[in-house]
Amino acid sequence: MPQTYTNDHSPSVLQTYTWRDANNSAAYLLSYLQPHMSILDVGCGPGSITIDLARKVPQGHVVGVEYVSDPLDGARSLASSEGVTNVSFEVGDIHNLPFPENTFDVVHAHQVLQHIEDPVQAFKEMRRVVKEGGIVAVQETSTSTLYPESEGIAAWSDLQDQMRQAKGNFMKAGTQLHVWAKGAGFPLEKIKKSTGSWCFSSPTEREYWGGAMEGRIRSSGLAATAVREGLASEKELQHMAAAWRAWVENEDGWLGFLNGQILCWK
């Protein structure tokens, strides 16, 4: 499958992902987990959610897969440093997962389908490798809102949207998860739809998110591609980065995300 992921796995990008854990990014799934379960975490990135899921199934095992190997050594090191041993990581494509049918009790994907070529095929593959009676759990961004509004931040958002659309990414993927799941063969009565949210407003939270966005603009594959393809100049990128820094330092700064989430039973 063609590579449609707009971001890379540079430190400024991974900084955003390592904040995520099972509690803040997969809470809708946790009440269904049992200590003995086997879990596949698709699009695991730096492994912070994967490792936390492994803690939730101490007698089970969790496998994290990513389409490239770039972040996986870091994920393995993180698991080792935190003493989590019931987890492993390998390369795998969500469109063609390298596992037999009926392998896992749970298949989980977080903020992955918006970046891929064929979400219906991804759901088909996740359905194939989950056991009968097992769960496929997916969360994707639906929309976001920010205060105070900023010309520079709006320009960064527009630039990301432009680049994602050029890659064929699915904007607001969280709004149509149930449609993709139905297309993959899940009956509507076996699909549970819900929403979750994130809010970044404290100084630490603003630094985490806004600082990460500033870092992406100053040093990431996305920013380099934007300049190379003539979508933004270095001067324009620096203006966007400065806008995020101003938001971080504004005590009234507030950012909220609404995520669509879905549980599908096979």
Side-chain angles (χ1 to χ4, degrees), residues 103-185:
T103 299
F104 299 96
D105 297 298
V106 174
V107 179
H108 168 264
H110 176 82
Q111 309 292 345
V112 176
L113 272 62
Q114 62 190 276
H115 298 292
I116 68 172
E117 181 181 356
D118 190 343
V120 173
Q121 175 61 22
F123 265 108
K124 287 180 179 179
E125 276 294 280
M126 292 188 287
R127 186 174 186 269
R128 181 182 66 81
V129 302
V130 79
K131 296 176 183 178
E132 293 294 332
I135 297 172
V136 172
V138 181
Q139 184 184 83
E140 297 284 336
T141 299
S142 174
T143 189
S144 65
T145 185
L146 175 140
Y147 180 87
E149 295 183 357
S150 162
E151 179 185 349
I153 292 176
W156 170 243
S157 179
D158 289 344
L159 176 61
Q160 290 187 100
D161 287 352
Q162 184 178 357
M163 296 183 72
R164 287 171 177 163
Q165 288 169 352
K167 282 278 193 178
N169 291 177
F170 292 89
M171 313 305 294
K172 299 184 178 181
T175 64
Q176 53 188 317
L177 293 175
H178 59 296
V179 177
W180 293 333
K182 284 173 59 182

Coordinates of all heavy atoms in Angstrom, one line a residue, residues 103-185:
T103 N -6.7 -14.6 16.2 CA -5.5 -14.7 17.1 C -5.7 -13.9 18.4 O -5.2 -14.4 19.4 CB -4.3 -14.1 16.3 OG1 -4.1 -14.9 15.1 CG2 -3.1 -14.1 17.1
F104 N -6.3 -12.8 18.4 CA -6.4 -11.9 19.5 C -7.7 -11.7 20.1 O -8.7 -11.7 19.4 CB -5.8 -10.5 19.1 CG -4.4 -10.5 18.6 CD1 -4.2 -10.6 17.2 CD2 -3.3 -10.5 19.4 CE1 -2.9 -10.6 16.7 CE2 -2.0 -10.5 18.9 CZ -1.8 -10.6 17.6
D105 N -7.8 -11.5 21.4 CA -9.0 -11.2 22.1 C -9.5 -9.8 21.8 O -10.7 -9.5 21.7 CB -8.9 -11.3 23.6 CG -8.5 -12.7 24.0 OD1 -9.4 -13.6 23.8 OD2 -7.5 -13.0 24.6
V106 N -8.5 -8.9 21.6 CA -8.8 -7.4 21.4 C -7.8 -6.9 20.3 O -6.6 -7.2 20.4 CB -8.7 -6.6 22.7 CG1 -8.8 -5.1 22.3 CG2 -9.7 -7.0 23.7
V107 N -8.4 -6.2 19.4 CA -7.5 -5.4 18.4 C -7.8 -3.9 18.6 O -9.0 -3.5 18.5 CB -7.8 -5.9 17.0 CG1 -6.9 -5.0 16.0 CG2 -7.5 -7.3 16.8
H108 N -6.8 -3.2 18.8 CA -7.0 -1.7 19.2 C -6.2 -0.9 18.2 O -5.1 -1.2 17.8 CB -6.4 -1.5 20.6 CG -6.3 0.0 21.0 ND1 -5.1 0.6 20.8 CD2 -7.2 0.9 21.4 CE1 -5.3 1.9 21.2 NE2 -6.5 2.0 21.6
A109 N -6.8 0.2 17.8 CA -6.1 1.2 16.9 C -6.4 2.6 17.4 O -7.6 2.9 17.5 CB -6.4 1.0 15.5
H110 N -5.4 3.4 17.6 CA -5.7 4.8 18.1 C -5.1 5.8 17.2 O -3.9 5.8 16.9 CB -5.0 4.9 19.5 CG -5.1 6.3 20.1 ND1 -6.2 6.8 20.7 CD2 -4.2 7.3 20.1 CE1 -6.0 8.0 21.1 NE2 -4.8 8.4 20.7
Q111 N -6.0 6.7 16.6 CA -5.5 7.7 15.7 C -4.7 7.2 14.6 O -3.6 7.8 14.2 CB -4.8 8.8 16.5 CG -5.4 9.3 17.7 CD -6.7 10.1 17.5 OE1 -6.9 10.6 16.3 NE2 -7.5 10.4 18.5
V112 N -5.1 6.1 13.9 CA -4.4 5.5 12.9 C -5.2 5.6 11.5 O -4.6 5.9 10.5 CB -4.2 4.0 13.2 CG1 -3.5 3.3 12.0 CG2 -3.3 3.8 14.5
L113 N -6.5 5.3 11.6 CA -7.2 5.2 10.3 C -7.3 6.5 9.5 O -7.4 6.4 8.3 CB -8.6 4.7 10.6 CG -8.8 3.1 10.6 CD1 -8.0 2.5 11.7 CD2 -10.2 2.7 10.8
Q114 N -7.2 7.6 10.2 CA -7.2 8.9 9.4 C -6.0 9.0 8.5 O -6.0 9.8 7.5 CB -7.2 10.0 10.4 CG -6.0 10.1 11.3 CD -6.1 11.1 12.4 OE1 -5.8 12.3 12.2 NE2 -6.5 10.7 13.6
H115 N -4.9 8.2 8.8 CA -3.7 8.4 8.0 C -3.5 7.3 6.9 O -2.5 7.4 6.2 CB -2.5 8.2 9.0 CG -2.4 9.3 10.0 ND1 -2.2 10.6 9.7 CD2 -2.6 9.2 11.4 CE1 -2.2 11.3 10.8 NE2 -2.4 10.5 11.8
I116 N -4.4 6.4 6.8 CA -4.2 5.2 5.9 C -5.0 5.3 4.6 O -5.9 6.2 4.4 CB -4.4 3.9 6.6 CG1 -5.9 3.7 6.9 CG2 -3.6 3.8 7.9 CD1 -6.3 2.4 7.4
E117 N -4.7 4.4 3.7 CA -5.3 4.5 2.4 C -6.7 3.9 2.4 O -7.6 4.5 1.7 CB -4.5 3.7 1.4 CG -5.0 3.7 0.0 CD -4.2 2.9 -1.0 OE1 -3.1 2.4 -0.6 OE2 -4.6 2.8 -2.2
D118 N -7.0 2.8 3.1 CA -8.2 2.1 3.0 C -8.8 1.7 4.4 O -8.5 0.6 4.8 CB -8.1 0.9 2.1 CG -9.4 0.3 1.7 OD1 -10.4 0.5 2.3 OD2 -9.4 -0.5 0.7
P119 N -9.5 2.6 5.0 CA -10.0 2.2 6.4 C -10.9 1.0 6.4 O -10.9 0.2 7.4 CB -10.8 3.5 6.8 CG -10.1 4.6 6.0 CD -9.8 4.0 4.7
V120 N -11.7 0.8 5.4 CA -12.6 -0.4 5.3 C -11.7 -1.7 5.3 O -12.0 -2.7 6.1 CB -13.5 -0.4 4.1 CG1 -14.3 -1.7 4.1 CG2 -14.5 0.8 4.3
Q121 N -10.7 -1.7 4.5 CA -9.8 -2.8 4.5 C -9.1 -3.0 5.8 O -8.9 -4.2 6.3 CB -8.7 -2.7 3.4 CG -7.6 -3.7 3.3 CD -8.2 -5.1 3.1 OE1 -9.3 -5.3 2.5 NE2 -7.4 -6.2 3.5
A122 N -8.8 -1.9 6.5 CA -8.2 -2.0 7.8 C -9.1 -2.7 8.8 O -8.7 -3.6 9.6 CB -7.8 -0.6 8.3
F123 N -10.4 -2.3 8.8 CA -11.4 -2.9 9.6 C -11.5 -4.4 9.3 O -11.7 -5.2 10.2 CB -12.7 -2.2 9.5 CG -13.0 -1.2 10.6 CD1 -12.9 0.2 10.3 CD2 -13.2 -1.5 11.9 CE1 -13.2 1.2 11.2 CE2 -13.4 -0.6 12.9 CZ -13.4 0.8 12.5
K124 N -11.5 -4.7 8.0 CA -11.6 -6.1 7.6 C -10.4 -7.0 8.2 O -10.6 -8.1 8.7 CB -11.6 -6.3 6.1 CG -12.9 -5.8 5.4 CD -12.8 -6.0 3.9 CE -14.1 -5.6 3.2 NZ -14.0 -5.7 1.8
E125 N -9.2 -6.4 8.1 CA -8.1 -7.1 8.7 C -8.2 -7.2 10.2 O -7.8 -8.3 10.8 CB -6.8 -6.4 8.3 CG -6.3 -6.8 6.9 CD -5.9 -8.2 6.9 OE1 -4.8 -8.5 7.3 OE2 -6.7 -9.1 6.4
M126 N -8.6 -6.2 10.9 CA -8.7 -6.2 12.3 C -9.8 -7.2 12.7 O -9.6 -8.0 13.7 CB -9.0 -4.8 12.9 CG -7.8 -3.9 12.8 SD -8.1 -2.3 13.6 CE -9.3 -1.5 12.6
R127 N -10.9 -7.3 12.0 CA -11.9 -8.3 12.2 C -11.4 -9.7 12.0 O -11.8 -10.6 12.7 CB -13.1 -8.0 11.3 CG -14.4 -8.8 11.6 CD -15.5 -8.3 10.7 NE -16.7 -9.1 11.1 CZ -17.2 -10.2 10.5 NH1 -16.4 -10.7 9.5 NH2 -18.3 -10.8 10.9
R128 N -10.6 -9.8 11.0 CA -10.1 -11.2 10.6 C -9.2 -11.7 11.8 O -9.3 -12.9 12.1 CB -9.2 -11.1 9.3 CG -8.7 -12.4 8.9 CD -7.8 -12.3 7.6 NE -6.6 -11.5 7.9 CZ -5.5 -12.0 8.4 NH1 -5.4 -13.3 8.8 NH2 -4.4 -11.2 8.6
V129 N -8.3 -10.9 12.3 CA -7.4 -11.4 13.3 C -7.9 -11.5 14.8 O -7.3 -12.0 15.6 CB -6.1 -10.7 13.3 CG1 -5.4 -10.7 11.9 CG2 -6.2 -9.2 13.7
V130 N -9.1 -10.9 15.0 CA -9.7 -10.9 16.3 C -10.5 -12.2 16.4 O -11.1 -12.7 15.5 CB -10.6 -9.7 16.6 CG1 -12.0 -9.8 15.9 CG2 -10.7 -9.5 18.1
K131 N -10.5 -12.8 17.6 CA -11.3 -14.0 17.9 C -12.8 -13.8 17.8 O -13.3 -12.7 18.0 CB -10.9 -14.6 19.3 CG -9.4 -15.0 19.4 CD -9.1 -15.4 20.9 CE -7.7 -15.7 21.1 NZ -7.4 -16.1 22.5
E132 N -13.5 -14.9 17.6 CA -15.0 -14.9 17.7 C -15.3 -14.4 19.1 O -14.8 -14.9 20.1 CB -15.6 -16.3 17.5 CG -15.4 -16.8 16.1 CD -16.2 -15.9 15.0 OE1 -17.2 -15.4 15.4 OE2 -15.7 -15.9 13.9
G133 N -16.2 -13.4 19.2 CA -16.6 -12.8 20.5 C -15.6 -11.7 20.9 O -15.9 -11.1 22.0
G134 N -14.5 -11.5 20.2 CA -13.6 -10.5 20.6 C -14.0 -9.1 20.1 O -15.0 -8.9 19.5
I135 N -13.1 -8.1 20.5 CA -13.5 -6.7 20.3 C -12.4 -6.1 19.4 O -11.2 -6.2 19.6 CB -13.5 -6.0 21.7 CG1 -14.6 -6.6 22.6 CG2 -13.7 -4.5 21.5 CD1 -14.6 -6.0 24.0
V136 N -12.9 -5.3 18.5 CA -12.1 -4.3 17.7 C -12.4 -2.9 18.3 O -13.6 -2.5 18.3 CB -12.3 -4.4 16.2 CG1 -11.6 -3.2 15.5 CG2 -11.9 -5.7 15.7
A137 N -11.4 -2.2 18.8 CA -11.6 -0.9 19.4 C -10.8 0.2 18.6 O -9.6 0.0 18.4 CB -11.2 -0.9 20.8
V138 N -11.5 1.3 18.2 CA -10.8 2.3 17.4 C -11.2 3.7 17.9 O -12.4 3.9 18.2 CB -11.2 2.1 15.9 CG1 -10.4 3.2 15.1 CG2 -10.8 0.8 15.4
Q139 N -10.3 4.6 18.0 CA -10.6 6.0 18.3 C -9.9 6.9 17.3 O -8.7 6.6 17.0 CB -10.1 6.3 19.7 CG -10.4 7.7 20.1 CD -9.9 8.2 21.5 OE1 -8.7 8.6 21.6 NE2 -10.7 8.0 22.5
E140 N -10.6 7.9 16.8 CA -10.1 8.8 15.9 C -10.6 10.2 16.2 O -11.7 10.4 16.7 CB -10.5 8.5 14.4 CG -10.0 7.1 13.9 CD -8.5 7.2 13.5 OE1 -8.0 8.2 13.2 OE2 -7.9 6.1 13.5
T141 N -9.8 11.2 15.8 CA -10.2 12.6 16.0 C -11.4 13.0 15.2 O -11.5 12.6 14.0 CB -9.0 13.6 15.7 OG1 -7.9 13.3 16.6 CG2 -9.5 15.0 15.9
S142 N -12.3 13.7 15.8 CA -13.5 14.3 15.1 C -13.3 15.8 14.8 O -13.4 16.2 13.7 CB -14.8 14.0 15.9 OG -15.9 14.6 15.2
T143 N -13.1 16.5 15.9 CA -12.9 18.0 15.7 C -12.2 18.5 16.9 O -12.0 17.9 17.9 CB -14.3 18.7 15.6 OG1 -14.2 20.0 15.2 CG2 -15.1 18.6 16.9
S144 N -11.7 19.8 16.7 CA -11.0 20.5 17.8 C -11.4 21.9 17.9 O -11.9 22.5 16.9 CB -9.5 20.3 17.6 OG -9.1 21.0 16.5
T145 N -11.2 22.6 19.0 CA -11.4 24.0 19.2 C -10.4 24.6 20.1 O -9.8 23.9 21.0 CB -12.8 24.2 19.8 OG1 -13.1 25.6 19.8 CG2 -12.9 23.6 21.2
L146 N -10.0 25.8 19.8 CA -8.9 26.5 20.5 C -9.2 27.9 20.9 O -9.9 28.6 20.2 CB -7.7 26.4 19.6 CG -6.4 27.1 20.1 CD1 -5.2 26.3 19.7 CD2 -6.3 28.5 19.4
Y147 N -8.7 28.3 22.1 CA -8.8 29.7 22.5 C -7.4 30.2 23.0 O -6.8 29.4 23.7 CB -9.9 29.9 23.6 CG -10.0 31.3 24.0 CD1 -10.9 32.2 23.4 CD2 -9.2 31.8 25.1 CE1 -11.0 33.5 23.8 CE2 -9.3 33.1 25.5 CZ -10.2 34.0 24.9 OH -10.3 35.3 25.2
P148 N -7.0 31.4 22.7 CA -7.6 32.4 21.8 C -7.2 32.0 20.4 O -6.2 31.3 20.1 CB -7.0 33.7 22.2 CG -5.6 33.3 22.7 CD -5.8 32.0 23.4
E149 N -8.1 32.4 19.4 CA -7.8 32.1 18.0 C -6.5 32.9 17.6 O -6.2 33.9 18.1 CB -9.0 32.5 17.2 CG -10.2 31.6 17.4 CD -11.3 31.9 16.5 OE1 -11.2 32.8 15.7 OE2 -12.4 31.2 16.6
S150 N -5.8 32.3 16.6 CA -4.6 32.9 16.2 C -4.4 32.7 14.7 O -4.6 31.6 14.2 CB -3.4 32.3 17.0 OG -2.2 32.5 16.4
E151 N -4.0 33.7 14.0 CA -3.7 33.6 12.6 C -2.6 32.6 12.3 O -2.7 31.8 11.4 CB -3.3 35.0 12.0 CG -3.0 35.0 10.6 CD -2.5 36.4 10.1 OE1 -2.5 37.3 10.8 OE2 -2.0 36.4 8.9
G152 N -1.6 32.6 13.1 CA -0.5 31.7 12.9 C -0.9 30.2 13.1 O -0.5 29.3 12.4
I153 N -1.6 30.0 14.2 CA -2.1 28.6 14.5 C -3.1 28.2 13.4 O -3.0 27.0 13.0 CB -2.7 28.5 15.9 CG1 -1.6 28.7 16.9 CG2 -3.4 27.2 16.1 CD1 -2.1 28.8 18.4
A154 N -3.9 29.1 13.0 CA -4.9 28.7 11.9 C -4.1 28.4 10.6 O -4.5 27.5 9.9 CB -5.8 29.9 11.7
A155 N -3.1 29.1 10.3 CA -2.3 28.8 9.1 C -1.6 27.5 9.2 O -1.5 26.7 8.2 CB -1.2 29.9 9.0
W156 N -1.1 27.1 10.4 CA -0.5 25.8 10.6 C -1.6 24.7 10.4 O -1.3 23.7 9.8 CB 0.1 25.7 12.0 CG 0.5 24.3 12.5 CD1 0.0 23.6 13.5 CD2 1.5 23.5 11.9 NE1 0.6 22.4 13.6 CE2 1.6 22.3 12.7 CE3 2.4 23.6 10.8 CZ2 2.5 21.3 12.4 CZ3 3.3 22.6 10.5 CH2 3.3 21.5 11.3
S157 N -2.8 24.9 11.0 CA -3.9 23.9 10.8 C -4.2 23.8 9.3 O -4.4 22.6 8.8 CB -5.1 24.4 11.6 OG -6.2 23.5 11.4
D158 N -4.3 24.9 8.6 CA -4.6 24.8 7.2 C -3.5 24.1 6.4 O -3.8 23.3 5.5 CB -4.8 26.3 6.6 CG -6.1 26.9 7.1 OD1 -6.9 26.2 7.6 OD2 -6.1 28.2 7.0
L159 N -2.3 24.3 6.8 CA -1.2 23.7 6.1 C -1.2 22.2 6.3 O -1.1 21.4 5.4 CB 0.2 24.2 6.6 CG 1.4 23.5 6.1 CD1 1.5 23.7 4.6 CD2 2.7 24.1 6.8
Q160 N -1.5 21.7 7.5 CA -1.6 20.3 7.8 C -2.8 19.7 7.0 O -2.6 18.6 6.4 CB -1.8 20.1 9.3 CG -0.6 20.4 10.2 CD -0.9 20.0 11.6 OE1 -0.5 18.9 12.1 NE2 -1.6 20.8 12.3
D161 N -3.9 20.4 7.0 CA -5.1 19.9 6.3 C -4.7 19.7 4.8 O -5.1 18.7 4.1 CB -6.3 20.8 6.4 CG -6.9 20.7 7.8 OD1 -6.5 19.8 8.6 OD2 -7.8 21.6 8.1
Q162 N -4.1 20.7 4.2 CA -3.7 20.7 2.8 C -2.8 19.5 2.5 O -3.0 18.8 1.5 CB -3.0 22.0 2.4 CG -2.7 22.2 1.0 CD -2.0 23.5 0.6 OE1 -1.9 24.4 1.5 NE2 -1.7 23.7 -0.6
M163 N -1.8 19.3 3.4 CA -0.9 18.2 3.1 C -1.6 16.8 3.3 O -1.3 15.9 2.6 CB 0.3 18.4 4.0 CG 1.1 19.6 3.7 SD 2.6 19.8 4.8 CE 3.6 18.5 4.0
R164 N -2.5 16.7 4.3 CA -3.1 15.5 4.5 C -4.1 15.2 3.4 O -4.2 14.0 3.0 CB -3.9 15.6 5.9 CG -3.0 15.5 7.1 CD -3.7 15.8 8.4 NE -2.8 15.6 9.5 CZ -3.0 16.1 10.7 NH1 -4.1 16.8 10.9 NH2 -2.1 15.9 11.7
Q165 N -4.8 16.2 2.9 CA -5.7 15.9 1.8 C -4.9 15.5 0.6 O -5.4 14.6 -0.2 CB -6.5 17.2 1.5 CG -7.6 17.5 2.5 CD -8.2 18.9 2.4 OE1 -7.7 19.7 1.6 NE2 -9.2 19.1 3.2
A166 N -3.7 16.1 0.3 CA -2.9 15.7 -0.8 C -2.4 14.2 -0.7 O -2.3 13.5 -1.7 CB -1.7 16.6 -0.9
K167 N -2.3 13.7 0.6 CA -1.9 12.4 0.8 C -3.0 11.4 0.8 O -2.9 10.2 0.9 CB -1.2 12.3 2.2 CG 0.2 12.8 2.3 CD 1.2 11.7 1.8 CE 2.6 12.0 2.2 NZ 3.5 10.9 1.7
G168 N -4.3 11.9 0.7 CA -5.4 11.1 0.8 C -5.9 10.7 2.2 O -6.6 9.7 2.4
N169 N -5.4 11.5 3.2 CA -5.9 11.2 4.5 C -7.3 11.5 4.7 O -7.9 12.3 3.9 CB -5.1 12.0 5.5 CG -3.6 11.6 5.6 OD1 -2.8 12.3 6.3 ND2 -3.2 10.6 4.9
F170 N -7.9 10.9 5.8 CA -9.4 11.1 6.0 C -9.5 12.1 7.2 O -9.2 11.9 8.3 CB -10.0 9.8 6.4 CG -10.1 8.8 5.3 CD1 -9.0 7.9 5.0 CD2 -11.1 8.8 4.4 CE1 -9.0 7.1 3.9 CE2 -11.2 7.9 3.3 CZ -10.1 7.1 3.1
M171 N -10.0 13.3 6.8 CA -10.2 14.4 7.8 C -11.4 14.0 8.7 O -12.4 13.5 8.2 CB -10.4 15.7 7.1 CG -9.4 16.0 6.0 SD -7.6 15.9 6.6 CE -7.6 17.3 7.7
K172 N -11.4 14.3 9.9 CA -12.4 14.0 10.9 C -12.9 12.6 10.8 O -14.1 12.2 10.7 CB -13.6 15.0 10.6 CG -13.3 16.5 10.8 CD -14.5 17.4 10.6 CE -14.1 18.8 10.8 NZ -15.3 19.7 10.7
A173 N -11.9 11.7 10.8 CA -12.2 10.3 10.7 C -13.1 9.7 11.8 O -13.8 8.8 11.6 CB -10.9 9.5 10.7
G174 N -13.1 10.4 12.9 CA -13.9 9.9 14.1 C -15.4 9.9 13.8 O -16.2 9.3 14.5
T175 N -15.8 10.7 12.8 CA -17.3 10.8 12.5 C -17.8 9.6 11.7 O -19.0 9.5 11.7 CB -17.6 12.1 11.7 OG1 -16.9 12.0 10.5 CG2 -17.1 13.3 12.5
Q176 N -16.9 8.8 11.1 CA -17.4 7.8 10.2 C -16.9 6.4 10.5 O -17.0 5.5 9.7 CB -17.1 8.2 8.8 CG -15.7 8.5 8.5 CD -15.5 9.0 7.1 OE1 -16.0 8.5 6.1 NE2 -14.7 10.1 7.0
L177 N -16.4 6.2 11.7 CA -15.9 4.9 12.1 C -17.0 3.8 11.9 O -16.7 2.7 11.4 CB -15.4 4.9 13.5 CG -14.2 5.7 13.8 CD1 -13.9 5.8 15.3 CD2 -13.0 5.3 13.0
H178 N -18.2 4.1 12.3 CA -19.3 3.0 12.2 C -19.6 2.7 10.8 O -19.9 1.5 10.5 CB -20.5 3.5 13.0 CG -21.1 4.8 12.4 ND1 -20.4 6.0 12.5 CD2 -22.3 5.1 11.8 CE1 -21.2 7.0 11.9 NE2 -22.3 6.4 11.5
V179 N -19.4 3.6 9.9 CA -19.7 3.4 8.5 C -18.6 2.4 7.9 O -18.9 1.5 7.2 CB -19.7 4.7 7.7 CG1 -19.9 4.4 6.2 CG2 -20.8 5.6 8.2
W180 N -17.4 2.7 8.3 CA -16.3 1.8 7.8 C -16.4 0.4 8.4 O -16.2 -0.6 7.7 CB -14.9 2.4 8.2 CG -14.6 3.7 7.5 CD1 -15.0 4.1 6.2 CD2 -13.7 4.7 7.9 NE1 -14.5 5.3 5.9 CE2 -13.7 5.7 6.9 CE3 -13.0 4.9 9.1 CZ2 -13.0 6.9 7.0 CZ3 -12.2 6.1 9.2 CH2 -12.2 7.1 8.2
A181 N -16.8 0.4 9.7 CA -17.0 -0.9 10.4 C -18.1 -1.7 9.7 O -17.9 -3.0 9.5 CB -17.2 -0.7 11.8
K182 N -19.2 -1.1 9.4 CA -20.3 -1.8 8.7 C -19.8 -2.3 7.3 O -20.1 -3.4 6.9 CB -21.5 -0.9 8.5 CG -22.3 -0.6 9.7 CD -23.3 0.5 9.5 CE -24.3 0.1 8.4 NZ -25.3 1.2 8.1
G183 N -19.0 -1.5 6.6 CA -18.5 -1.9 5.3 C -17.6 -3.1 5.4 O -17.4 -3.8 4.4
A184 N -17.0 -3.3 6.6 CA -16.1 -4.4 6.8 C -16.8 -5.7 7.3 O -16.1 -6.7 7.5 CB -15.0 -4.0 7.8
G185 N -18.1 -5.6 7.5 CA -18.9 -6.8 7.9 C -19.3 -6.8 9.3 O -20.0 -7.8 9.7

